[in-house]
Amino acid sequence: MNATGQGSTGNSAAGDGAGRTVVWAVVGTDIGPLLLAATDTGLVNVVFHASSAVRDSAVARLGSRLGTAPAEAPDSPLLAEPVRQLKAYFSGERRDFELPLDWSLISGFNRQVLRELASGVPFGTVVGYGDLAGRVGQPQAAQAVGVAMGANPLPVVVPCHRVVESDGGIGGFGGGLETKRQLLALEGVLPQPLF
């Protein structure tokens, strides 16, 4: 299954956590620690810069949105493949993610845009905000695409770092511009930083 999550309905509603498993772990990467969270459906959340304070806030927010307390479980089978694939991505051995995704943290236009991004903007390429808006049939919605990128619960795996300004500017990024530069350099879009 690819990172578009095709085949995963992700229909679990926030607040409908009865019997739902949510696990998380922090993984060290070249761009700093990432918090990964998964449900029985698939990877549900990736959080940048997962220091203790960021981690605690993200876990609390995730529990509130999914209606069940996430459990720290670095050895969970639900996280094994996401961890393996992220490590392979950062080591240059993987270009595409093939993971089931749980889309329950996002809906509507934002979900539509993120699914198009995941399936239609491959490793080593970029797309403009307006171009991505056009791909989902809303050519005047470049600003709304920016909002969708900022709301992306699955950065790196759903590659919002590949969305840039049409004039060649790098654009914004929830993980910080330096992190966006590092990801684009890893993919060969930008030169590697000298320092």
Side-chain angles (χ1 to χ4, degrees):
M1 183 169 307
N2 62 27
T4 61
Q6 299 301 320
S8 296
T9 60
N11 288 334
S12 300
D16 182 28
R20 190 169 199 196
T21 299
V22 183
V23 295
W24 65 271
V26 175
V27 178
T29 72
D30 294 350
I31 58 169
L34 294 178
L35 181 141
L36 305 180
T39 67
D40 295 322
T41 302
L43 188 67
V44 70
N45 204 197
V46 176
V47 179
F48 291 113
H49 314 298
S51 64
S52 296
V54 169
R55 178 198 66 214
D56 293 348
S57 175
V59 169
R61 186 173 53 251
L62 190 60
S64 173
R65 295 201 54 203
L66 295 178
T68 191
E72 184 175 11
D75 296 325
S76 170
L78 298 176
L79 292 170
E81 192 59 18
V83 168
R84 188 187 73 70
Q85 289 191 28
L86 274 163
K87 287 182 177 181
Y89 169 81
F90 283 108
S91 70
E93 299 168 10
R94 175 174 280 280
R95 292 176 165 230
D96 301 304
F97 293 98
E98 297 175 3
L99 297 168
L101 301 178
D102 181 335
W103 292 94
S104 62
L105 294 178
I106 197 145
S107 61
F109 177 79
N110 291 355
R111 185 187 292 190
Q112 180 184 7
V113 168
L114 291 172
R115 282 184 179 266
E116 174 58 31
L117 175 63
S119 65
V121 184
F123 182 97
T125 66
V126 294
V127 66
Y129 292 93
D131 293 335
L132 190 54
R135 289 185 187 193
V136 296
Q138 300 288 330
Q140 303 303 314
Q143 275 190 309
V145 166
V147 171
M149 296 305 104
N152 183 3
L154 295 160
V156 182
V157 176
V158 176
C160 52
H161 59 277
R162 297 180 190 156
V163 183
V164 297
E165 295 174 347
S166 59
D167 65 3
I170 195 168
F173 194 61
L177 292 182
E178 183 55 33
T179 300
K180 186 171 186 173
R181 284 187 193 95
Q182 288 177 300
L183 290 167
L184 290 172
L186 172 74
E187 296 189 8
V189 175
L190 293 178
Q192 289 287 345
L194 296 176
F195 311 47

